[in-house]
Amino acid sequence: MAETSESSSSVPKHIAIIMDGNGRWAQKQNLPRTTGHKKGLDVAKQIVKTARDAGVDYLSLYAFSTENWKRPKEEVSYLMNLITTHLKEEFNFYKENQIRVQHIGRLDGLPKKVQKELQETIDFCKNFQGLTVVLAINYGSRDEIIRAIKKIENIQSLNEENFHNYLDYPELPDVDLLIRTGGEYRISNMLLWQSAYAEFIFTKTLWPDYTNECFLNDLETFKTRQRRYGAL
Ligand code: IPE
Ligand code: IPE
Ligand code: MG
């Protein structure tokens, strides 16, 4: 019998995380939502290191969606400043951990300072050999797909195998595991094309409470999944 299904007994090559629940985490403690975002960034740094140690190749982190501009302007500007400061001050973090950084999303809609720091970080890290962290900032999958289609010169040559060439980061493989914290059961416009056959884990844990143990447990859960891709 042909073996067409694949057992996920290994580490996922590409994990995407929808890091949700920062605001609720803070509000539960009567703290401003922004405190949740700050704690959320610390957690993201921890998980980057754990993912690298676990042998993950690509970790996509949803940091700001194309829909998040609808939030109050104070929260949006706090997030933009948090991202800028992080990129500016943490070259060492990326160097020590040999993390390559890539960006997906609409660069031109971002404040100039974010564009500049992102570009500098990507350049600084381009030869590092460890995990690749893909920062989804001003990212929406529908937006990415529409922009991709507009890049195609000969639409008749398009197929399922070559479409990725037009996406924001063409080398990014399909998502193996998509994790969403924060208790919502939706994907909120994250990597729609790339997640067609992803395994999903939804957890009620709010992102600032998500620990290395939570992540390692999710890796164990992934191993138990039988990936059939439509075959038997
Ligand atoms: C996710 O946390 C981070 C961003 C969207 C930037 P939220 O800010 O959405 O937190 P909740 O969902 O309101 O708790
Ligand atoms: C998704 O979270 C976006 C990020 C984590 C950056 P949201 O909080 O924006 O998603 P919805 O609004 O609950 O769908
Ligand atoms: Mg949310």
Side-chain angles (χ1 to χ4, degrees), residues 17-22 24 33 61-68 71 79 136 139 180-181 184 186-190:
I17 308 185
I18 302 175
M19 309 180 289
D20 195 25
N22 292 349
R24 280 165 287 160
R33 289 177 54 85
L61 298 175
Y62 209 1
F64 193 90
S65 76
T66 46
E67 286 72 35
N68 287 148
R71 295 186 178 201
L79 284 165
Y139 178 83
R180 181 175 188 142
T181 62
E184 312 289 359
R186 52 179 175 255
I187 55 175
S188 303
N189 209 5
M190 177 63 159

Side-chain angles (χ1 to χ4, degrees), residues 5 26-27 59 69 72 76 78 88 91 103 146 153 170 176 184 229 232:
S5 71
Q27 281 168 328
L59 180 69
W69 299 107
V76 169
Y78 180 87
K88 206 164 161 166
F91 276 21
H103 169 247
I146 297 289
E153 281 172 19
D176 297 300
E184 312 289 359
Y229 300 98
L232 296 179

Side-chain angles (χ1 to χ4, degrees), residues 8 201 214-225:
S8 340
I201 294 179
C214 298
F215 183 72
L216 295 172
N217 274 338
D218 288 346
L219 292 184
E220 286 306 308
T221 302
F222 175 79
K223 286 187 190 166
T224 67
R225 302 283 177 91

Side-chain angles (χ1 to χ4, degrees), residues 2-131:
E3 274 285 332
T4 40
S5 71
E6 182 192 312
S7 155
S8 340
S9 60
S10 55
V11 176
K13 189 178 167 72
H14 179 189
I15 300 181
I17 308 185
I18 302 175
M19 309 180 289
D20 195 25
N22 292 349
R24 280 165 287 160
W25 179 88
Q27 281 168 328
K28 269 197 338 194
Q29 309 170 70
N30 287 319
L31 295 167
R33 289 177 54 85
T34 49
T35 309
H37 294 313
K38 185 138 184 16
K39 178 73 169 54
L41 175 59
D42 293 339
V43 170
K45 286 172 61 184
Q46 271 307 317
I47 298 303
V48 164
K49 289 198 253 182
T50 312
R52 183 212 51 190
D53 293 345
V56 174
D57 290 333
Y58 298 87
L59 180 69
S60 296
L61 298 175
Y62 209 1
F64 193 90
S65 76
T66 46
E67 286 72 35
N68 287 148
W69 299 107
K70 295 175 194 161
R71 295 186 178 201
K73 69 174 191 317
E74 294 75 22
E75 181 164 340
V76 169
S77 78
Y78 180 87
L79 284 165
M80 291 302 147
N81 285 329
L82 188 67
I83 292 167
T84 312
T85 312
H86 166 75
L87 293 171
K88 206 164 161 166
E89 292 178 354
E90 307 249 24
F91 276 21
N92 260 345
F93 170 78
Y94 291 107
K95 190 174 178 190
E96 269 165 29
N97 295 291
Q98 286 292 298
I99 305 294
R100 277 202 305 164
V101 177
Q102 289 288 338
H103 169 247
I104 54 172
R106 196 182 262 270
L107 201 57
D108 62 17
L110 285 166
K112 286 278 179 288
K113 59 184 183 182
V114 179
Q115 294 188 31
K116 175 174 168 281
E117 297 305 334
L118 254 177
Q119 203 49 61
E120 285 181 7
T121 307
I122 292 167
D123 290 345
F124 178 75
C125 304
K126 67 174 185 287
N127 295 321
F128 295 160
Q129 300 293 316
L131 167 74

